[in-house]
Amino acid sequence: NAITVKSELNILSQGVDNGTDEKPIPTPPTEKISQEIPPGLLKNPFKNTSLLLYYSQSVQLRKKKPFENMHVFFVLHFLKDLIPFVNATFPLGLDIKKSCFFYKDYPYPQRDTLRNWLGEQGAVVRPHSEISKFLAEFAKSYRSPEKILVAEDGGLLTTALHKSFPQLISHVIGTVEQTTRGIRNAQGLGELRFPVLAVATSKLKNDFEPMYIAKAVVTNIQQMLPNFALNGKKVALIGCGTIGKEIANWLKNCKAIVSIFDTNSENQLWARNNGFILVDSASQVVHNKILVIGASGERTITSEVFSELQHGAYVLSASSELYEIDVDELHQQAAKVVPHISDDDKY
């Protein structure tokens, strides 16, 4: 998620001259990036996901059918690798007609086609903003002894179930949570009333995945800003955890001058020992930087930080949610909002 910040951020103090007290926020032109699912993926969904194929063909798992007689609720990114994931669950007992897939409101390139594909398979598909509405409808009609399983990104369903739907709690066998933010949200609920499997703390996620996330962040910068060279640029990185460290290393390899802010003492020590510039606050670290990357998983890029941004700075979120940046505040301060899509209309 990339946002270009211009010097007109001070517009808030000048008032808005549009005849009303509110500024309309334009809808991103998602039709320009609405892509079809590659036909080859539908014919051979496991071409690039050999582990999913392996587990879907496991004799032991096929015999146990772990998803059988179960309602499964998913909050996952609507990317094309969702197709092999869903296909892998079918031999393991998933009844997709008893499943609901919630999508987030990002303009994913294939969100619309994936939404249609899931609907054709018989799944219920809803935006994540309708989680509470769906659970309320489900709770009214639920009379079955069948259990409920949650697989999600961000702790949204886990939070909603604990806070608003206690009548469903006893039927939930647990949640598989993929993100650190989701784990934090679950911890904030106090005593959990069903298990939460923290995939985000697994060895695979911590040791294997971060380098690829970091590479994706840098690659996406290059794709969205094709004329922007990192070499010699002053970059601020807010958050130096497992993923932040890899981003810092990638930026360093690209010859960027990287300054880091992190509240964790171990992360601070790592940054200092690896030759990065350590700064005491988020507001200070963004000062005089052309590129600002948030990778903390928390709300760090706020109005105080906006006021320190230089003209023409780029602000990016490397977290799984658009939570890092206070986008509402940014919209209020911005003179205008123009959705940005790369030159080839694919990103």
Side-chain angles (χ1 to χ4, degrees):
N1 301 292
I3 297 172
T4 308
V5 181
K6 298 297 184 183
S7 60
E8 294 89 346
L9 281 175
N10 291 326
I11 192 71
L12 184 63
S13 62
Q14 303 166 20
V16 181
D17 186 19
N18 63 356
T20 66
D21 293 331
E22 297 181 359
K23 287 183 292 181
I25 297 174
T27 302
T30 53
E31 70 277 359
K32 292 184 70 175
I33 54 173
S34 182
Q35 300 173 3
E36 295 298 318
I37 299 170
L41 181 61
L42 296 175
K43 292 179 181 178
N44 182 14
F46 301 114
K47 180 180 179 180
N48 298 312
T49 50
S50 54
L51 277 178
L52 283 173
L53 176 62
Y54 173 82
Y55 286 112
S56 71
Q57 293 184 340
S58 165
V59 175
Q60 184 180 14
L61 287 175
R62 282 184 174 226
K63 185 177 179 180
K64 287 185 176 181
K65 293 193 178 300
F67 295 111
E68 195 171 43
N69 298 320
M70 190 178 298
H71 297 274
V72 187
F73 304 150
F74 301 92
V75 182
L76 299 173
H77 292 293
F78 270 40
L79 301 169
K80 60 187 178 183
D81 57 8
L82 190 60
I83 291 176
F85 173 80
V86 172
N87 274 280
T89 64
F90 291 150
L92 309 184
L94 182 76
D95 183 348
I96 199 164
K97 294 180 180 178
K98 296 178 181 177
S99 304
C100 183
F101 291 80
F102 296 96
Y103 60 88
K104 300 180 181 181
D105 295 326
Y106 312 145
Y108 298 111
Q110 291 147 337
R111 185 185 69 188
D112 294 340
T113 49
L114 281 169
R115 185 169 54 192
N116 294 337
W117 180 80
L118 287 167
E120 290 169 0
Q121 309 305 308
V124 176
V125 186
R126 300 279 190 93
H128 82 283
S129 58
E130 294 185 9
I131 283 177
S132 292
K133 180 181 178 182
F134 168 80
L135 290 176
E137 295 169 355
F138 181 82
K140 287 181 180 178
S141 61
Y142 182 70
R143 298 290 184 273
S144 169
E146 293 172 332
K147 294 295 184 179
I148 299 168
L149 174 66
V150 174
E152 68 173 331
D153 179 316
L156 302 175
L157 279 162
T158 300
T159 299
L161 286 164
H162 275 82
K163 288 187 173 182
S164 305
F165 300 95
Q167 68 273 38
L168 294 176
I169 291 284
S170 62
H171 304 289
V172 180
I173 66 169
T175 293
V176 179
E177 173 55 55
Q178 298 189 83
T179 65
T180 302
R181 171 149 192 84
I183 294 170
R184 291 196 197 109
N185 285 339
Q187 291 170 338
L189 295 171
E191 184 178 354
L192 293 173
R193 298 181 61 189
F194 52 74
V196 175
L197 179 62
V199 177
T201 60
S202 68
K203 184 174 178 62
L204 182 66
K205 288 276 284 189
N206 283 324
D207 293 356
F208 181 77
E209 185 183 67
M211 69 179 76
Y212 294 100
I213 295 176
K215 182 179 179 180
V217 170
V218 175
T219 299
N220 284 329
I221 292 171
Q222 295 167 340
Q223 288 173 336
M224 294 189 74
L225 308 172
N227 298 318
F228 182 86
L230 285 167
N231 190 348
K233 294 294 194 305
K234 293 182 178 180
V235 179
L237 176 63
I238 302 176
C240 189
T242 305
I243 293 173
K245 289 182 177 66
E246 292 295 336
I247 293 175
N249 285 329
W250 271 100
L251 292 168
K252 188 176 182 179
N253 290 338
C254 293
K255 308 301 182 184
I257 303 168
V258 185
S259 298
I260 292 175
F261 166 67
D262 194 291
T263 58
N264 182 279
S265 58
E266 292 183 4
N267 294 340
Q268 292 172 357
L269 181 62
W270 179 91
R272 190 178 291 110
N273 289 343
N274 284 274
F276 296 101
I277 302 167
L278 197 61
V279 183
D280 293 335
S281 71
S283 297
Q284 291 177 18
V285 79
V286 305
H287 184 72
N288 200 32
K289 304 300 189 300
I290 189 64
L291 181 66
V292 176
I293 302 175
S296 71
E298 300 288 343
R299 177 61 52 82
T300 55
I301 304 175
T302 61
S303 57
E304 293 180 0
V305 175
F306 296 152
S307 65
E308 296 296 328
L309 293 170
Q310 73 173 47
H311 175 74
Y314 294 97
V315 181
L316 297 97
S317 170
S319 301
S320 61
E321 296 279 347
L322 192 56
Y323 189 82
E324 195 88 28
I325 306 167
D326 189 344
V327 177
D328 292 338
E329 175 69 17
L330 190 60
H331 277 305
Q332 290 182 39
Q333 295 198 34
K336 60 181 178 179
V337 179
V338 181
H340 173 72
I341 296 177
S342 66
D343 293 338
D344 56 10
D345 287 346
K346 289 183 178 180
Y347 301 97

